[in-house]
Amino acid sequence: VSEEALMQTVSLLGRESAAVAAQHGFVPIDPDKIQCPVSVLGRTGLGNNNNPDLAAALADYLRAQERCIRNDISHNMMCERNWQEHAEQIEQWCGE
């Protein structure tokens, strides 16, 4: 991301951001109740010792029909210089 986009994003973070993540970051999801196709678009390597590749683990857990997990995508991918590429991928998947 550009320095400007990074600084703008950081300026918007506050205490409530951490509170929201703490309160809602781990909402249980039952994949057996999902009745629509699932796509996961994310970055490789984001995770912890238990799940070093969190996006792949999420795609596996949700039984994603489509996954695009790459090392050149940031968490805030729609602020990247090539955001159109990600948006087009989502648009194409939704159109199918």
Side-chain angles (χ1 to χ4, degrees), residues 1-74:
V1 299
S2 69
E3 182 75 21
E4 179 183 354
L6 177 63
M7 297 312 295
Q8 180 182 18
T9 300
V10 170
S11 74
L12 297 173
L13 297 176
R15 280 187 247 150
E16 69 279 356
S17 300
V20 168
Q23 293 172 9
H24 304 290
F26 301 100
V27 175
I29 298 171
D30 182 352
D32 291 329
K33 293 182 179 178
I34 298 174
Q35 298 182 9
C36 63
V38 174
S39 177
V40 172
L41 175 63
R43 180 179 177 85
T44 56
L46 295 179
N48 55 36
N49 290 338
N50 294 332
N51 288 308
D53 198 348
L54 196 55
L58 177 65
D60 290 344
Y61 179 74
L62 296 177
R63 301 179 196 122
Q65 290 82 2
E66 176 78 22
R67 62 179 73 201
C68 179
I69 303 168
R70 306 182 334 210
N71 65 357
D72 62 343
I73 298 175
S74 72

